[in-house]
Amino acid sequence: MGRRSWVGAGLGAALVGAVGVGLLVAPAGASAAPPLPPVSPEDLVSSVMTAQRGPFAGEVEVDNALGLPAVPGVPQLADGTSTVRVWSGGEDRGRVAIPSPDGERTLVSDGTTRWAYDSRDRTATRAPAGDHGGPPEGQQQDPTAAATQAIATLRQTSTVAVDGTAEVAGRAVYQLVLTPQPTERTLLREVRVAVDAETRQPLQLTVLAQGQGEPALRVGFSEITYGPQDPSLFTFTPPPGTTVRDAPARDGEQRPEGDRPRSTVGDGWDTVVIGQAPQPGDGRPRDGQDGQDQRPEGAPDLSALGQPVSGPWGSGRVITTAVATVIVTDDGRIAAGAVPQQVLTEALAR
Amino acid sequence: MTTVSASAPPASRASTRSVAPLGRLAAAEIRWVLRRPRTLVLLGLLALVPIALGVGIALTGGPGDGDGPGLVAAVAGNGLVLPIAALGLALSLLLPLTVATAAADALAGEAAHGTLRGLLLAPVGRVRLVVMKAAGVLTVAVLAVLVVAVVGVLTGLVVVGGPSGTMITLSGTTLGLGEALGRVALVAGWTIVQLLAIAAVALAVSAFTEHPLVVLAAVLGGLIVFGVLAAVPSLEWLQPLLLTSGWTAGADALRDPLPLDGLASSTGRALVYVVLGAAVTVWQMRRRDG
Amino acid sequence: MTAAPSVAAPATAAAPDAVAARVRGLRKTFGATVAVDDVDLDVPAGAVLGMLGPNGSGKTTLIRMLLGLTRPTAGTVELLGHAGDDLTAALPDVGALVEGPGFHPFLSGRDNLLRAATAEPRLDGDLRGPVDAALERVGLADAARRRYRGYSLGMKQRLGLAAALLVPRRLVVLDEPTNGLDPAGTRDVRRVVAELRDAGATVLLSSHLLAEVEAVCTHVAVLQTGTLLVSGELRALLEADAGGLVVSTPDVDDAILALREAGAPSYRAEGGVAVPPGALEAPEIVAALVGAGVAVWEVHRRRAHLEELFARLTEEDA
């Protein structure tokens, strides 16, 4: 064999390597804006709120730079990128798989019963469907629910605009942008919701904070296929050796937060929620499975987090993240909002 | 053997070939690899991984007790998970060590013994030499994975036991024996490909040195460096390049429905390593002094 | 087996084969060190060429380049009619023991040879026959099934020799073959080399043992610090270096006087008086001495030894 053919083979190998590395490194989903008929923000929002949700399957990528404390068992809440698999059968039937490197939390709703299975301790928790005060924890990862909620609550105090089109998970989308009014004292700069042009299902939620180039949070489908799903996905039979528990404590009415007075100060983007912090003597498990429809900061033991602060309102500890601030006072009050610290202290002093 | 017929002389003939047949070379290489004591010791150690894991879990663990590394907690009372957990555990150190040892002996070790010179003088041909050596390392990789998988299945069924020949997935579903074994085979095949990536890189290093320990140090050091790089948040952009960053995908085989993305992307990444390692090995062996 | 051991090779060969190996302008540098410096050398087909030189003179590097194990910095190598990228095509007909024997310690001598035999292009079918024959030939048959790990230095060397002899070869290259061998082993190597020569093979033998080379070689090449000092047929070199007569006599002083008077300058030498060549022929010298009444035991032509040649060459150079 001639030396020349070997040089060729070497170049070929180098090419394979370069292309392979390129494929591995290339970010998914970067693409040009597809042409779509213009739509007004109002039409877009209302079509989102009224659209029928058909069955689909997909993968939701959570790109998190919120700077939250790590919560055991829910790696998706920690900073970084993680993936959640979602199946929806329509009619309140769904399955969510939250993988961790060595386990998985599975949430299944068959329309009448909701199951939560944790592979690490092999427990299945059963709750009747439709009996919940807030969205189930898994749906917080579901952009459909998350975006709908965001639009509904933020519409009055925000500039709502349709900022062109884009492509998410291979689907053409409208970019709905919500920007706080200049009078709003908030940490947030804008919230973007990518809405599927065809199904009008929100596919991606992006939260941008003041003074930060990269999104503080991006939750969105990296992959989605619409169409009927295997019905067996939406049934759950506890496997042998599983501890099955009924979950009365999961209901919103029996949350400790629900027992305690809770008030809000302000409205719109600078709303501050003031409530009672969970007391150490509650005996409630603090493993991240509770209070997920509140801010996630509510779950872990707060006494060890944050910086000490004090003011005319008292003293306590402040926890600052990219998009929210929380103050836990020494007398057991808790104030939280997507606002700077000063807004919280004003609210507490009130 | 059967060639004892008195009339015919022993069937050795002179040949006019200029290189020995590749099949004969590869067969001799594989025989040589399998007779080497350290190969057998490492295979024996690998067989101990699932046994130790299985016995340990059977003695101490029950469902919910385990906070062991990786998937170990999922094995309790669920024996068919054992081979997959054992493969995952072995992939972190013992399996790479085994293939790296084989690759180190293949070129650097032969050079150190002076036997590489004999092969080059025969002559085997330098590219064929790489193919023959790759066959030996491939054999070790396949055998190593098979040992863990097969011993894992047997230990899982016999020692750990489980719900009558079924596997409980991490998603809380139950798979029958056939599908469970299919999942084990999937992880075994995937692990082999990951090991081939290590083997190719180790062979490339091996082509540059005549000190087998350099190869082992390079491979194990590389794995440690990859682990460190993966843990540095500001180097997150490096993740797609790191072989080890795809290794959590092995646990995907225990999810239901089976997600193939992670397994496929880590396999693709491994194949890139294989191509690059093989190219460097061939390039260096063609210019190496014998 | 019965394939007539390479009788075909040298005598009948055509012009290119008259030289088994040829190097031209061969040079090898390792960094700033010049290992082999511009060497031209022919190894005639059928010759037993002894390559002499002190340790570090570049013998092994030259042999490694000849076999394609090391790339020359400059120059060309031709081996059995093959050159350049095609050089390895000559290797099936070349047996070599270079830089000591290389074998795996955990295998027996026989298994090591069987493994080596699988790589030999010229072998086909059952490899055990040639392997056992080679073991027999180097006197290792008894120890064939012992692990190489337990071999003595001499046994290892014999096994290396056996590997070089697995196939009938046209050229056998032996780098320091008697290293570590006892006198019996040295004799065995000489016997093997003689057998190879008789079978028509060319042998290239490197050594720093002059007596060994003188005993078996037809040709010689002397290397020092990478330079080829001299090469050629051993007998011609020694004859050219020889000359003059040595007169054995008890009356050394008288003899020197008598010869001076006869017009032949002479000097005291071991065993008598040495007369440099040129001045007088033997009968005249004897006549002059007898005429002067000097007792003469013996007059013989002075024979050169390789050792002297070597010493003279290497000292001149130094």
Side-chain angles (χ1 to χ4, degrees), chain A residues 3-13:
Chain A
R3 183 147 301 164
R4 200 160 298 158
S5 67
W6 282 105
V7 171
L11 287 176

Side-chain angles (χ1 to χ4, degrees), chain A residues 8-26:
Chain A
L11 287 176
L15 194 67
V16 168
V19 170
V21 167
L23 286 176
L24 292 174
V25 178

